[in-house]
Amino acid sequence: MCGIFGVFGHREAAKLAYFGLYALQHRGQESAGIAVSNGREIREHKGMGLVAEVFDEETLVQLKGHIAVGHVRYSTTGASALKNAQPFCVTHSKHTYGIAHNGNLTNSRELRERLEAQGSIFQTTIDSEIILHLLAKVASRGIEEALTIVMETIEGAYSCLLLTEDKLIAFRDPHGFRPLCLGILNGGYVVASETCALDLIQAQYLRDIRPGEIVIIGKDGLQSIQAIPPSPRQARCIFEFIYFARPDSNVFGENVYLIRRSLGERLAEEARFDCDFVMPFPDSGNYAAVGYARASGLPFEMGVIRNHYVGRTFIQPSQSMRDFSVRVKLNPVKEIIRGQRVLVVDDSIVRGTTSRTRVRAIREAGASKIYMVISCPPIRFPCYFGIDFPSRGELIAARHQVEEIQRYLDLDGLHYLSLEGMLAACRAEDGSFCTACFTGQYPIEIRTDLSKNILERHP
Ligand code: AMP
């Protein structure tokens, strides 16, 4: 879970990157950073917190240059430390590189061990550093060939931006797990995790970066290289549609709002309950709830109100504080809920703890019946490709049947969208999506193949 944004050919590249990251803030709130080049040297600024907290007018003015790469980070595991913030910049053989990565490598541990055995010293625990170490080994071959070798070596999910003194480079894994799109702005280029970032700066969407493709943008224009063939098993992350991407973005060629609405329409086809109105848990359930109400003809109400100003201060790791943070974020409108049979729509249940507290709050507000529909199937398996799902032990649906979850959440009825229903609503029936969190069928084996490792061929 991260957001990346790159600019080439704008006088105020860092400022543009700042706006781009602002639009991608939902993809990560832990740290933010921008690296910028004026064609000769690279400067960077990174910090913990939200984009608006990390940057101000003064810091942005210092970041002079026409090429920039930005990153917002959502930490899943490991230390949430400043040293792990991105873009990650290094200097090697008189050249500086800055990298921003969205996704998760699946053979990073093995690669790191091999590199360390060969004498590499790591400063961070992030995958991006491994990519730069590998790149440094073969950098003398030129960026195009070097990156191709790196892409043949790393496995898993990566949508990446690389900044050099005079280039902006984008590359994407051959499975196409995470989105990455290309746009133009006044003759310059912009690359972003989601199209909502292009909209904000009024850039025009051109196309997606293709799986296995490297796009090199320099003063002579844009060069596209199909570095490795796209995998015959495409594995676009379906959870981008369900929850992660912003509804005003188009990812994988589809508008996220429309997909979410049709997920809700599917839900209405699959499950009906005797209720007075439909309401979402905002904001995650909003769009599927619109779809459910449209398809069922039931009235739509905003039965709980979200406080948009809840800062990270409330996000505490302890269980008691977690409940508190749920209550502070959503508050039921008692006058709407009292004595009513309500159907709540949400996008997903992960641990079940948030949902349980929210349902309890609706009970306390006086609902006579509470039914719940979820716009994806039960999440039973961890994600190795960048979505923050906990270990199987913590995923409620990995250990419990739907009836047990219904009891745990104290619901009068619960329905999860079927796998078929989800695939149909997402136009994903062609098998080009990763649905491993629901099915356990991982698109790539979670193991390491060192046979094609560059460390073998380029020790
Ligand atoms: P819970 O009941 O604790 O499983 O939380 C469910 C809520 O968390 C839903 O409203 C989801 O939108 C949201 N959610 C979705 N994906 C994730 C995730 N990867 N990590 C944390 N929360 C998520």
Side-chain angles (χ1 to χ4, degrees):
M1 281 170 134
C2 286
I4 57 175
F5 187 88
V7 193
F8 185 97
H10 193 282
R11 224 163 33 86
E12 291 185 293
K15 203 161 205 176
L16 239 51
Y18 171 79
F19 293 136
L21 293 183
Y22 217 99
L24 298 174
Q25 186 75 79
H26 61 289
R27 297 185 73 89
Q29 298 91 44
E30 184 189 282
S31 68
I34 296 173
V36 62
S37 176
N38 57 8
R40 293 177 308 282
E41 59 169 5
I42 291 176
R43 282 178 183 214
E44 58 170 331
H45 180 78
K46 299 187 277 194
M48 301 301 289
L50 302 174
V51 178
E53 295 165 343
V54 172
F55 295 95
D56 55 24
E57 202 71 51
E58 211 174 303
T59 40
L60 285 172
V61 166
Q62 312 277 327
L63 296 173
K64 287 195 175 61
H66 63 283
I67 324 172
V69 163
H71 187 267
V72 283
R73 174 175 152 88
Y74 179 106
S75 143
T76 52
T77 50
S80 77
L82 181 59
K83 70 178 166 99
N84 283 342
Q86 298 189 41
F88 183 70
C89 297
V90 293
T91 301
H92 176 262
S93 294
K94 298 191 185 126
H95 288 293
T96 306
Y97 305 90
I99 191 167
H101 173 205
N102 174 211
N104 235 36
L105 300 187
T106 49
N107 61 343
S108 55
R109 209 188 60 210
E110 289 79 1
L111 290 175
R112 183 180 289 261
E113 280 168 12
R114 293 295 299 267
L115 284 160
E116 284 180 340
Q118 292 178 7
S120 291
I121 296 167
F122 282 90
Q123 298 174 37
T124 74
T125 54
I126 53 177
D127 289 351
S128 325
E129 190 172 8
I130 296 171
I131 297 176
L132 285 189
H133 272 277
L134 294 172
L135 189 71
K137 281 187 165 281
V138 285
S140 59
R141 293 164 174 250
I143 198 74
E144 190 182 319
E145 197 184 329
L147 258 187
T148 303
I149 295 170
V150 170
M151 287 170 75
E152 284 167 353
T153 307
I154 56 179
E155 290 176 2
Y158 54 92
S159 279
C160 287
L161 289 173
L162 181 70
L163 175 72
T164 69
E165 285 96 355
D166 58 352
K167 291 183 183 69
L168 170 68
I169 300 162
F171 57 102
R172 190 167 169 220
D173 69 70
H175 291 88
F177 280 102
R178 303 269 147 244
L180 193 61
C181 68
L182 176 68
I184 45 171
L185 177 67
N186 306 329
Y189 289 95
V190 182
V191 189
S193 292
E194 292 181 33
T195 58
C196 66
L198 305 188
D199 295 341
L200 182 63
I201 57 162
Q202 295 183 292
Q204 193 191 334
Y205 170 80
L206 218 51
R207 65 173 176 88
D208 283 1
I209 305 293
R210 287 184 275 271
E213 185 187 21
I214 303 174
V215 168
I216 303 178
I217 304 165
K219 65 175 179 357
D220 299 327
L222 183 147
Q223 184 194 0
S224 160
I225 303 133
Q226 190 64 48
I228 41 178
S231 166
R233 169 66 171 99
Q234 286 297 289
R236 301 182 266 182
C237 171
I238 204 151
F239 214 67
E240 293 275 352
F241 283 157
I242 307 291
Y243 167 76
F244 201 32
R246 241 171 68 160
D248 50 340
S249 284
N250 295 344
V251 300
F252 309 132
E254 300 285 348
N255 172 256
V256 177
Y257 183 114
L258 292 177
I259 293 282
R260 286 187 192 159
R261 198 173 73 184
S262 61
L263 286 164
E265 287 166 355
R266 279 272 159 179
L267 269 173
E269 283 170 30
E270 288 188 9
R272 291 293 176 94
F273 295 98
D274 206 7
C275 60
D276 297 306
F277 64 81
V278 180
M279 57 169 269
F281 275 152
D283 290 324
S284 52
N286 285 357
Y287 315 95
V290 168
Y292 193 101
R294 269 166 69 107
S296 64
L298 283 164
F300 177 93
E301 298 283 3
M302 292 300 285
V304 292
I305 301 303
R306 178 168 170 180
N307 182 342
H308 285 272
Y309 307 99
V310 179
R312 285 166 306 114
T313 11
F314 285 117
I315 315 295
Q316 300 291 327
S318 77
Q319 198 58 42
S320 57
M321 283 304 279
R322 190 189 288 264
D323 284 1
F324 178 69
S325 74
V326 169
R327 283 172 182 276
V328 87
K329 205 160 161 186
L330 294 191
N331 189 37
V333 185
K334 297 183 194 69
E335 287 67 19
I336 293 285
I337 285 174
R338 194 175 299 127
Q340 300 290 297
R341 298 163 303 171
V342 304
L343 177 81
V344 180
V345 184
D346 203 0
D347 69 304
S348 57
I349 299 173
V350 183
R351 292 181 176 85
T353 46
T354 312
S355 311
R356 186 177 150 104
T357 313
R358 289 172 173 180
V359 170
R360 195 187 306 138
I362 295 176
R363 267 284 169 233
E364 286 166 11
S368 61
K369 296 272 182 206
I370 308 174
Y371 307 101
M372 195 165 178
V373 290
I374 300 295
S375 64
C376 69
I379 299 169
R380 297 199 164 103
F381 299 91
C383 176
Y384 298 105
F385 312 110
I387 296 283
D388 177 24
F389 289 151
S391 62
R392 282 207 79 186
E394 285 176 272
L395 288 170
I396 189 166
R399 293 173 291 122
H400 298 284
Q401 297 303 311
V402 174
E403 304 74 53
E404 294 172 314
I405 300 172
Q406 179 181 323
R407 265 201 306 280
Y408 173 75
L409 299 180
D410 189 22
L411 290 164
D412 298 289
L414 170 65
H415 178 80
Y416 284 91
L417 188 60
S418 66
L419 186 67
E420 304 72 52
M422 176 185 71
L423 293 175
C426 293
R427 296 186 239 289
E429 288 151 313
D430 62 354
S432 67
F433 280 78
C434 176
T435 54
C437 51
F438 308 115
T439 62
Q441 288 161 13
Y442 290 95
I444 50 178
E445 232 182 294
I446 307 302
R447 45 111 215 137
T448 320
D449 179 5
L450 290 175
S451 60
K452 56 186 168 103
N453 195 314
I454 65 166
L455 303 174
E456 305 275 329
R457 288 188 276 127
H458 307 279

